[in-house]
């Protein structure tokens, strides 16, 4: 939501005046409001206001899918403490208050989550899966890897076993077995258990 200000400004400058489907009375009202004199507020506060206001109505920003409505909105009918803080500091800004505001709006992220270590916030069943993997032997990851590998990758590589191509595959590719001595593939350990020897 930190970039929503640019999206709204582009909509306001380009689309609002050009769209033939927006009722004319809304366009007229927007022009009247835009023409009224107002106090200049630093852009950094306006951007923070837009970002927090978007969160207030339940908008979420994702790395790959952009913005969408997916969080619980503020249904109290009043601005949240964060939004009130932005409005207050925008009226009387100081350097220390701005830093305090940034810490309030963008709190420090849990380093464990930044490193994709989420077992401390996972459900009991997910936590048990991770614990089981830590106690099982695996070919591609070791217990000593757990602190430096994401939980997802650690569990994922526990599902693999090494494999060599069968003779039928070598025959189809007209490849000599000696050419595959240093190569191996991966296959699902669950499939291997269900179809031993294949």
């Amino acid at each position: 939501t930190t970039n929503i200000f640019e999206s709204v400004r582009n909509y306001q400058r380009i689309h609002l005046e050009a769209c033939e489907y927006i009722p004319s009375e809304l366009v007229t009202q927007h022009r009247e409001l835009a023409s009224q004199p107002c106090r200049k507020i630093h852009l950094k506060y306006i951007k923070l206001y837009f970002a927090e206001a978007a969160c207030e109505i339940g908008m979420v920003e994702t790395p790959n899918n952009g913005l969408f409505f997916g969080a619980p909105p503020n249904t109290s009918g009043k601005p949240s403490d964060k939004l009130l803080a932005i409005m207050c500091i925008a009226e009387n800004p100081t350097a220390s208050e701005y830093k305090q505001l940034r810490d309030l709006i963008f709190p420090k992220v849990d380093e464990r989550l930044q490193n994709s270590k989420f077992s401390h916030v996972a459900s009991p069943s997910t936590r048990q899966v991770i614990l089981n993997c830590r106690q099982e032997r695996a070919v591609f990851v070791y217990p000593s890897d757990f602190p430096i590998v994401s939980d997802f990758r650690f569990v994922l590589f526990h599902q693999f076993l090494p494999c060599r191509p069968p003779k039928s595959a070598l025959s189809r590719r007209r490849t000599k077995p000696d050419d595959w001595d240093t190569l191996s593939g991966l296959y699902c350990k669950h499939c291997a258990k269900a179809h031993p020897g294949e």
Side-chain angles (χ1 to χ4, degrees):
T1 55
T2 55
N3 295 321
I4 194 174
F5 169 77
E6 300 296 339
S7 300
V8 173
R9 186 165 65 170
N10 290 338
Y11 174 87
Q12 179 183 9
R13 290 179 174 179
I14 300 173
H15 185 80
L16 189 60
E17 294 290 339
C19 180
E20 58 182 299
Y21 302 106
I22 296 178
S24 58
E25 56 269 21
L26 290 181
V27 177
T28 301
Q29 184 180 11
H30 171 263
R31 290 172 181 168
E32 292 175 354
L33 291 172
S35 63
Q36 293 178 5
C38 59
R39 178 186 173 186
K40 296 294 183 181
I41 298 178
H42 198 287
L43 193 60
K44 62 186 178 182
Y45 299 115
I46 298 176
K47 289 184 175 181
L48 285 173
Y49 176 85
F50 269 75
E52 187 58 30
C55 295
E56 293 270 292
I57 61 174
M59 295 192 75
V60 178
E61 184 172 14
T62 61
N64 300 319
N65 299 320
L67 294 169
F68 68 95
F69 287 98
N74 178 6
T75 57
S76 66
K78 300 179 181 179
S80 66
D81 291 341
K82 289 183 179 181
L83 200 56
L84 287 174
I86 294 172
M87 296 162 65
C88 179
I89 294 175
E91 288 292 327
N92 299 288
T94 64
S96 61
E97 286 177 330
Y98 178 66
K99 182 181 182 303
Q100 179 184 1
L101 177 62
R102 291 293 300 218
D103 293 340
L104 178 66
I105 303 301
F106 306 110
K108 186 177 179 182
V109 179
D110 191 326
E111 291 184 0
R112 292 174 292 182
L113 295 179
Q114 283 185 320
N115 295 325
S116 299
K117 308 299 289 185
F118 56 85
S119 59
H120 62 293
V121 294
S123 65
S125 57
T126 301
R127 199 176 302 123
Q128 187 61 48
V129 170
I130 297 173
L131 180 60
N132 291 343
C133 288
R134 296 187 67 179
Q135 295 174 345
E136 295 174 358
R137 294 185 60 184
V139 178
F140 298 105
V141 285
Y142 301 94
S144 58
D145 295 325
F146 183 76
I148 58 174
V149 177
S150 71
D151 291 349
F152 170 76
R153 288 190 173 90
F154 189 81
V155 173
L156 176 65
F157 280 101
H158 262 268
Q159 314 311 311
F160 294 131
L161 291 174
C163 69
R164 300 251 178 200
K167 293 182 179 180
S168 58
L170 297 179
S171 299
R172 286 196 303 269
R173 298 190 182 195
R174 298 179 181 178
T175 305
K176 297 179 180 179
D178 293 343
D179 296 337
W180 291 82
D181 281 348
T182 59
L183 300 176
S184 65
L186 302 177
Y187 74 126
C188 171
K189 70 176 185 180
H190 306 285
C191 292
K193 185 177 180 180
H195 304 280
E198 296 184 11

